[in-house]
């Protein structure tokens, strides 16, 4: 897809499963199961979507899925359906060495797993020539997590870039990576999670990350139990979703397998999604 002079492709690292109750917080199961059916272990199936952006002569990868550094126990818990990110990059003629920039909206395991891979028993950056972007506060928290979120931060996903000197740490609420690609802090899921706004030629797309992980989470009150600051998530959904709808931006969802991209519209105090095909 073209946004003015910027080229945009939706990729994914395959499917996985998370507890449906945790994914929908206080929403009762009879309501959320209508849009996200659960398996016998109460898990719903989701996708780990990523973006490949070509802008300002740079090849930019937003999110890196869950990677392949998993024990058999964790594979069973999360039902990983096989990794797909690197083969999909190859389908676009891109090898790991070709990536110039990696953007991690935050450092939960399902967003940064392919940051690194194991070589001779050691985790090393998968994209050796890339600058990796993350918010400074997110990296600081990943290194000092609390009891509630410790299991989702895996040091092998983020410490190798510190050793290789590849981190570019974002500070503040806005940061322009290259012209037309801007990082915007969207707190709620974590304190310093970022979204990505892509603009060119009078067109705009917004990668919402885990502020709105799927189109099923468009209702304001449908907030994940995984969120560290759920009321902040609610505030930011009420701020950003009407803006995306009114401005006609393309909304991009990090975990929606059926509708990774949509146009939003306001309808009787609700936000409704209309699917858009993006290759």
């Amino acid at each position: 897809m073209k946004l003015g002079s910027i080229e945009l492709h939706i990729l994914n690292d395959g499917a996985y499963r998370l507890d449906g109750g945790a994914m929908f917080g206080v929403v009762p199961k009879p309501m959320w199961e209508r849009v996200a059916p659960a398996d016998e272990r109460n898990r719903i199936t989701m996708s780990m979507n990523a973006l490949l952006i070509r802008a300002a002569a740079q090849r930019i990868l937003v999110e890196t899925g869950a990677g392949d550094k998993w024990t058999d126990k964790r594979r069973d818990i999360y039902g990983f359906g096989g990794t797909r990110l690197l083969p999909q990059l190859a389908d676009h003629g891109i090898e790991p060495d070709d990536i110039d920039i990696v953007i991690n909206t935050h450092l939960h395991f399902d967003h940064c797993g392919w940051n690194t891979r194991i070589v001779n028993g050691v985790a090393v950056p998968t994209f050796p020539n890339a600058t990796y972007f993350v918010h400074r506060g997110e990296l600081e928290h990943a290194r000092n997590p609390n009891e509630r979120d410790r299991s989702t931060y895996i040091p092998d996903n983020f410490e190798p870039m510190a050793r290789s000197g590849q981190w570019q740490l974002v500070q503040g609420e806005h940061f322009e990576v290259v012209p037309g690609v801007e990082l915007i802090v969207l707190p709620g899921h974590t304190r310093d999670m970022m979204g990505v706004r892509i603009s060119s030629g009078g067109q705009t797309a917004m990668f919402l990350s885990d502020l709105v992980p799927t189109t099923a989470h468009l209702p304001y009150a449908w907030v994940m139990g995984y969120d560290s600051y759920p009321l902040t998530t609610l505030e930011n959904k009420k701020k950003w979703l009407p803006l995306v709808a009114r401005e006609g931006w393309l909304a991009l969802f990090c975990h929606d397998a059926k509708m990774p991209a949509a146009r939003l519209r306001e309808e009787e105090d609700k936000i409704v999604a209309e699917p858009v095909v993006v290759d």
Side-chain angles (χ1 to χ4, degrees):
M1 179 179 185
K2 294 282 285 186
L3 290 178
S5 63
I6 294 177
E7 186 178 321
L8 176 67
H9 302 276
I10 296 178
L11 313 178
N12 72 74
D13 197 36
Y16 73 135
R17 297 179 180 182
L18 290 179
D19 183 83
M23 279 302 300
F24 292 101
V26 299
V27 180
K29 183 176 181 178
M31 295 179 66
W32 61 254
E33 196 170 32
R34 297 172 191 168
V35 294
D39 66 10
E40 70 282 356
R41 295 165 69 175
N42 206 49
R43 303 175 302 178
I44 64 171
T45 299
M46 302 190 302
S47 180
M48 290 174 283
N49 298 330
L51 298 180
L52 172 62
I53 303 170
R54 297 177 188 262
Q58 300 290 294
R59 287 154 292 198
I60 303 169
L61 181 62
V62 180
E63 312 289 56
T64 66
D68 65 350
K69 303 182 296 294
W70 293 104
T71 64
D72 289 342
K73 178 180 179 180
R74 285 221 167 190
R75 288 183 187 278
D76 176 65
I77 290 172
Y78 296 111
F80 290 120
T83 59
R84 300 173 57 183
L85 185 60
L86 299 188
Q88 287 189 1
L89 285 171
D91 289 343
H92 288 277
I94 294 179
E95 298 300 321
D97 288 3
D98 299 327
I99 293 293
D100 300 298
I101 292 170
V102 174
I103 296 171
N104 293 142
T105 65
H106 59 299
L107 293 174
H108 288 173
F109 69 78
D110 51 338
H111 292 259
C112 64
W114 273 117
N115 277 6
T116 62
R117 56 185 170 186
I118 301 298
V119 176
N120 297 324
V122 178
V124 299
T126 301
F127 308 100
N129 299 316
T131 299
Y132 287 70
F133 285 78
V134 75
H135 198 280
R136 179 181 295 275
E138 177 69 13
L139 181 59
E140 290 172 352
H141 181 74
R143 288 170 165 165
N144 297 281
N146 56 50
E147 292 81 0
R148 188 172 181 270
D149 60 12
R150 180 171 291 127
S151 65
T152 197
Y153 289 111
I154 300 173
D156 273 351
N157 286 339
F158 50 83
E159 292 298 0
M161 282 71 69
R163 293 191 289 270
S164 65
Q166 288 175 255
W167 275 127
Q168 172 75 47
L169 301 183
V170 176
Q171 300 187 73
E173 296 184 358
H174 298 265
F175 185 88
E176 185 179 65
V177 178
V178 299
V181 180
E182 180 186 15
L183 304 179
I184 300 172
V185 176
L186 301 175
H189 185 57
T190 72
R191 184 189 63 191
D192 297 297
M193 185 188 75
M194 302 183 296
V196 185
R197 183 163 59 189
I198 307 127
S199 301
S200 181
Q203 302 178 70
T204 298
M206 183 78 168
F207 185 80
L208 294 161
S209 191
D210 273 329
L211 178 68
V212 188
T214 74
T215 52
H217 292 83
L218 285 171
Y220 293 131
W222 290 44
V223 173
M224 288 189 288
Y226 292 117
D227 286 7
S228 296
Y229 308 94
L231 294 181
T232 304
T233 296
L234 176 61
E235 292 173 4
N236 274 303
K237 289 174 72 174
K238 293 169 75 173
K239 171 185 176 181
W240 286 99
L241 291 181
L243 177 63
V244 172
R246 292 169 192 164
E247 296 295 325
W249 297 353
L250 181 68
L252 302 171
F253 302 94
C254 62
H255 291 309
D256 200 311
K258 296 181 179 179
M259 201 185 308
R263 300 286 181 186
L264 306 184
R265 57 184 170 84
E266 296 180 281
E267 184 177 282
E268 298 179 353
D269 297 322
K270 296 179 180 180
I271 302 293
V272 179
E274 297 178 346
V276 173
V277 176
V278 179
D279 65 349

